[in-house]
Amino acid sequence: MILLPAIDLYEKKVVRLTRGDYAQMTVYNDDPVAQAKLFQDAGAQWLHTVDLEGAKDGSTPNYSVIEAICKDTNLKVEIGGGIRSLDTIQKYLDAGVERVILGTKAVTDPAFLEESLDKFGSHIAVGVDIKDGKIAIKGWLETAQDSVEDFFTKLCKLGVSTVICTDVSKDGMLAGTNVDLYRQLSQKFSLDLIASGGVSSQEDLTRLKELGLYGAILGKALYTGALDLKTALKEMEG
């Protein structure tokens, strides 16, 4: 199971939200590139990034930060947050990004998702954010009509290979991850599933690995010291 330390970007700083609430934001580092290098030095091979401003309005205000991380590290970078055009996907891939995550647009515009998959293949991942049993969109401010199961079925039919699934209620809470959710999804659907939200202990990681998950994203637990990345990488990827 791969581990992806997370850098959430707001105004070109490393921040974390609590349960997706922009009013509950903590700044952890003013230098995202330096933070990415710390993760690389600990042994990480992947980096999960989110443009929180982009998630709200579909812009790319933190593009230069992503570009710098790709240039100054050897990390495989995935980026999500407000990516709503083929041009934006191409722009990120040209900067050196390995995987682009489509969230709101993948839910609200299936034709766009299909076109993106046709053009960019495995460089496209889909972010499915679940809030109170429903799919959350637009920076977790609204919910979609499709049930979680129906949407995952559609993703499999379209040929999506990688899904980042976040339980919004767990995100940033350090209260453990939703193992039952990931068990159900991994049993029903043949996907590279990445767990996100609430991963806060070695026990969480062990339980997710036992499910056969492809990966897990580590956020607040790293910044607060609840998890040590170097130790976690040795145990999970060894």
Side-chain angles (χ1 to χ4, degrees):
M1 186 172 78
I2 65 168
L3 300 183
L4 301 93
I7 289 180
D8 288 0
L9 296 163
Y10 194 90
E11 295 180 346
K12 297 182 171 61
K13 296 176 182 178
V14 180
V15 306
R16 298 300 298 171
L17 305 182
T18 299
R19 299 172 84 174
D21 185 352
Y22 285 74
Q24 297 185 63
M25 183 185 296
T26 305
V27 177
Y28 282 103
N29 199 325
D30 291 333
D31 187 343
V33 177
Q35 184 65 59
K37 287 179 178 177
L38 288 174
F39 289 149
Q40 178 174 267
D41 291 345
Q45 296 184 32
W46 278 90
L47 180 69
H48 173 82
T49 63
V50 179
D51 188 329
L52 291 173
E53 291 160 283
K56 278 189 179 181
D57 59 21
S59 62
T60 57
N62 293 284
Y63 170 80
S64 62
V65 175
I66 299 299
E67 186 178 39
I69 289 172
C70 291
K71 180 173 174 285
D72 295 342
T73 74
N74 296 317
L75 294 165
K76 296 176 185 175
V77 177
E78 63 177 29
I79 172 72
I83 298 162
R84 298 168 195 172
S85 74
L86 295 174
D87 286 346
T88 301
I89 296 170
Q90 189 67 63
K91 182 179 173 183
Y92 277 125
L93 294 179
D94 288 345
V97 166
E98 178 67 25
R99 197 155 56 206
V100 174
I101 305 161
L102 303 181
T104 295
K105 189 74 170 175
V107 179
T108 59
D109 191 346
F112 173 73
L113 174 58
E114 191 168 3
E115 192 176 3
S116 301
L117 289 165
D118 287 344
K119 186 167 184 179
F120 302 110
S122 61
H123 290 294
I124 299 296
V126 174
V128 181
D129 301 335
I130 299 173
K131 187 175 185 179
D132 301 325
K134 297 180 180 179
I135 297 169
I137 57 175
K138 297 183 180 177
W140 299 347
L141 302 174
E142 299 178 21
T143 55
Q145 291 182 333
D146 269 352
S147 72
V148 173
E149 189 165 330
D150 285 349
F151 187 59
F152 268 84
T153 300
K154 287 180 181 177
L155 296 182
C156 288
K157 286 180 179 177
L158 285 172
V160 172
S161 57
T162 306
V163 173
I164 294 95
C165 184
T166 303
D167 181 346
V168 176
S169 69
K170 300 286 188 181
D171 192 62
M173 297 299 290
L174 296 179
T177 192
N178 192 338
V179 175
D180 289 339
L181 170 67
Y182 299 120
R183 179 182 294 110
Q184 291 169 23
L185 292 173
S186 62
Q187 288 173 350
K188 286 181 181 177
F189 303 104
S190 181
L191 291 160
D192 285 341
L193 191 62
I194 298 176
S196 171
V199 179
S200 55
S201 67
Q202 199 64 51
E203 183 186 1
D204 282 339
L205 291 174
T206 300
R207 293 173 75 190
L208 292 173
K209 186 177 182 180
E210 287 170 352
L211 297 179
L213 260 58
Y214 166 67
I217 291 170
L218 305 179
K220 198 170 187 176
L222 295 179
Y223 293 102
T224 61
L227 268 173
D228 176 71
L229 181 58
K230 195 170 188 177
T231 302
L233 285 163
K234 280 183 181 177
E235 296 202 18
M236 289 299 107
E237 297 185 344

